[in-house]
């Protein structure tokens, strides 16, 4: 498990948050893609990204 934030384990519950539709440089980005991009970035060495059901099963 990654440990980055002041030495503490960080967990993000991906189905407990959302993202809005955005636009960048004329490109419409659906909220689901914004969410997926943020979760992928967080999971890449910063946080444990889990669903609420996976977290409850731990």
């Amino acid at each position: 498990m990654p440990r980055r934030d002041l030495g503490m384990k960080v967990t993000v519950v991906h189905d407990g948050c959302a993202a809005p539709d955005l636009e960048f440089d004329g490109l419409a980005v659906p909220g689901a893609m914004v969410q997926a991009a943020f979760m992928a970035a967080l999971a890449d060495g910063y946080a444990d990204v889990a669903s609420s059901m996976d977290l409850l099963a731990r």
Side-chain angles (χ1 to χ4, degrees), residues 2-10 46:
R3 294 182 182 271
R4 300 275 189 200
D5 198 317
L6 298 176
M8 297 181 180
K9 180 179 165 190
V10 177
Y46 180 79

Side-chain angles (χ1 to χ4, degrees), residues 15-37:
D15 57 350
C17 53
D21 294 342
L22 296 176
E23 185 178 324
F24 177 74
D25 199 24
L27 176 67
V29 185
M33 294 296 108
V34 175
Q35 171 84 354

